[in-house]
Amino acid sequence: ASAAQLAELAQYVNAGDATFVSAHYVLTDDVNLSAYGNWTPIGTINQPFAGVFDGQNHVVTGLKIDRSQGVYQGLFGYVSGLDNEHKAQIKNVAVRDAQIRAWTEVGAVVGRYGQFTQGFVEPLENCAMIGGTIQGTSSMGQSSFVGGIVGRACGEIQRCYATGNIIGADNAIEYGGIVGESFKTVNACYSTGSLSGMGSYADDFGGIAGKARGAVTNCYATGNVIGTLNNARTFGGVVGCALGEVTNCYAAGTVKGWNLIGGVVGQAY
């Protein structure tokens, strides 16, 4: 596997080449993408990556993305299967020292994982963000759904971890150490990086998930989740806003903000 082959995969998938869109890929070696100054993510909203990508525990380095208006940004942009018989999946891949600056639905591994509401994806599993930084931008208005691994996930997430840092845009909502917004279960994940929401407005920041619509189980976060004392709300050490159950989780970092601030969960419904 080479950087050029991954770049070609993005080119063919994004162009809708049926041979490549839903095939099964295996990464056979570590890959350095530093030759690509501004990476083009694999899969778009118009043509999602619909196949299976197994990184075989290899590491992708040199991932750089700088798009102040970028949506669906990461190594993969938009991943979704064709139907329940043909589900997509990303697994067993680590992204090390990524430098990403984008607007909405942003993650080191994948921007959006699964379409509403069916998803058509198997669990996003055994993936990592090792070091690096993801920074939201609000040049297009509110920056939403930013996570260390995945920005927005309509499928399950399991056994993923993140050690990089996440910096909120000036106007930021739904940021998480693992996932910005999750619709299904997040299980057995951990994050050690920091989340910073120091802009003019920040809402739904969590060490694991910014907003969790599904359950969050067996997870922990040790990084700080820090916002301003006058306009940062719904900040939690594990989950910012929890619409599902949060069980067997703990947080060890500092959580600071203005309103609805919790050591584990900022706000629970």
Side-chain angles (χ1 to χ4, degrees):
S2 69
Q5 287 173 317
L6 272 186
E8 282 179 5
L9 179 60
Q11 187 182 330
Y12 289 130
V13 168
N14 297 355
D17 190 316
T19 312
F20 293 88
V21 164
S22 55
H24 190 134
Y25 299 91
V26 171
L27 200 58
T28 56
D29 205 350
D30 293 349
V31 173
N32 185 336
L33 299 178
S34 57
Y36 298 88
N38 202 358
W39 176 251
T40 298
I42 302 166
T44 67
I45 187 170
N46 295 320
Q47 185 49 72
F49 175 75
V52 174
F53 185 90
D54 182 352
Q56 292 199 121
N57 297 313
H58 288 297
V59 179
V60 175
T61 55
L63 176 65
K64 288 191 179 73
I65 294 172
D66 190 349
R67 292 187 182 93
S68 62
Q69 300 179 10
V71 185
Y72 313 121
Q73 299 293 305
L75 177 63
F76 286 81
Y78 200 116
V79 174
S80 185
L82 304 173
D83 52 43
N84 269 326
E85 303 300 310
H86 306 88
K87 291 184 177 180
Q89 185 176 34
I90 309 295
K91 58 185 178 181
N92 307 325
V93 64
V95 176
R96 183 191 295 276
D97 296 332
Q99 298 297 325
I100 298 174
R101 198 175 151 272
W103 175 43
T104 283
E105 303 209 28
V106 186
V109 178
V110 56
R112 162 74 76 83
Y113 196 70
Q115 281 176 323
F116 300 128
T117 52
Q118 303 94 331
F120 298 145
V121 283
E122 297 291 352
L124 178 64
E125 62 183 15
N126 195 31
C127 291
M129 173 202 189
I130 304 170
T133 302
I134 299 177
Q135 182 169 0
T137 65
S138 49
S139 60
M140 296 272 289
Q142 191 173 71
S143 166
S144 314
F145 319 120
V146 175
I149 300 293
V150 52
R152 207 175 205 185
C154 302
E156 292 179 17
I157 304 169
Q158 54 194 29
R159 299 193 311 279
C160 292
Y161 72 90
T163 65
N165 298 322
I166 299 175
I167 302 168
D170 187 47
N171 182 354
I173 181 168
E174 296 181 16
Y175 276 57
I178 295 292
V179 54
E181 182 182 39
S182 58
F183 284 78
K184 303 280 177 69
T185 299
V186 180
N187 179 53
C189 294
Y190 74 87
S191 172
T192 64
S194 67
L195 271 85
S196 163
M198 301 298 287
S200 61
Y201 181 73
D203 194 359
D204 292 352
F205 274 53
I208 294 293
K211 178 175 279 182
R213 295 179 181 276
V216 178
T217 58
N218 308 314
C219 292
Y220 72 88
T222 61
N224 296 332
V225 184
I226 304 293
T228 64
L229 297 180
N230 56 357
N231 51 23
R233 62 192 303 274
T234 328
F235 274 42
V238 174
V239 179
C241 177
L243 301 173
E245 289 188 350
V246 179
T247 53
N248 199 30
C249 293
Y250 78 87
T254 298
V255 185
K256 281 185 186 172
W258 163 62
N259 185 25
L260 300 170
I261 309 301
V264 175
V265 175
Q267 184 176 30
Y269 288 91

